[in-house]
Amino acid sequence: MAQTGKLFVRTTISKAQIPIMNAHVSIIKQENDKKTLLKSLRTDENGKTITVDFEVPDAQNSLNSENTDERFFVCDIIITHPDYYTTYIKNVQIFANQISVQEINLIPLEEDVDPAGFYESIDITSQNL
């Protein structure tokens, strides 16, 4: 039986001291070679998106290390803003009955640089439950 897990994203600079407003946050699901856009969001004046609900595997799946069923929901997040490097976060994990907070410190672009093609990629290691 599927349950609900929640996610919100917070974008900042200067070691999480200054929030980034109006960053575009895309939450995608990749299966094989197909990418599906699940949500498209913007950050507010506090650098946060709204909290989004996802249908996730049952919490019981993550309690038994022998279990071969999916233990959590996995998605990717792409964060763009014209003044910062695009950031691609792979394998974000969302658990049943939990709020996942994905904090990201964006990297400012140098002056007079075209942001196209500049990005930072972060791959989150899977939980060893």
Side-chain angles (χ1 to χ4, degrees):
M1 173 191 223
Q3 295 179 335
T4 300
K6 298 175 183 288
L7 169 73
F8 76 84
V9 177
R10 182 170 179 257
T11 59
T12 58
I13 59 171
S14 298
K15 298 183 182 175
Q17 299 300 312
I18 303 171
I20 304 296
M21 185 174 166
N22 279 330
H24 181 252
V25 178
S26 299
I27 302 172
I28 60 174
K29 179 72 175 170
Q30 183 164 346
E31 293 180 297
N32 302 319
D33 290 335
K34 183 181 175 191
K35 291 182 182 179
T36 304
L37 178 65
L38 303 176
K39 291 285 181 183
S40 180
L41 308 166
R42 290 264 179 207
T43 57
D44 64 16
E45 64 277 359
N46 297 312
K48 292 178 171 181
T49 65
I50 61 169
T51 300
V52 182
D53 293 345
F54 291 97
E55 190 174 295
V56 300
D58 193 292
Q60 292 298 315
N61 292 1
S62 64
L63 300 178
N64 180 353
S65 62
E66 304 289 319
N67 190 355
T68 58
D69 293 333
E70 288 184 323
R71 296 176 288 182
F72 44 80
F73 179 78
V74 176
C75 62
D76 296 343
I77 300 173
I78 301 171
I79 302 149
T80 59
H81 189 286
D83 298 331
Y84 302 91
Y85 283 90
T86 294
T87 302
Y88 192 122
I89 306 169
K90 299 177 185 177
N91 301 315
V92 174
Q93 298 150 28
I94 303 171
F95 292 86
N97 308 317
Q98 301 295 316
I99 298 175
S100 298
V101 180
Q102 184 60 60
E103 301 228 16
I104 187 66
N105 193 44
L106 297 179
I107 301 171
L109 286 171
E110 297 83 14
E111 286 187 34
D112 301 322
V113 172
D114 180 4
F118 287 96
Y119 72 95
E120 177 183 26
S121 182
I122 300 167
D123 193 354
I124 299 175
T125 305
S126 180
Q127 296 290 325
N128 186 11
L129 302 175

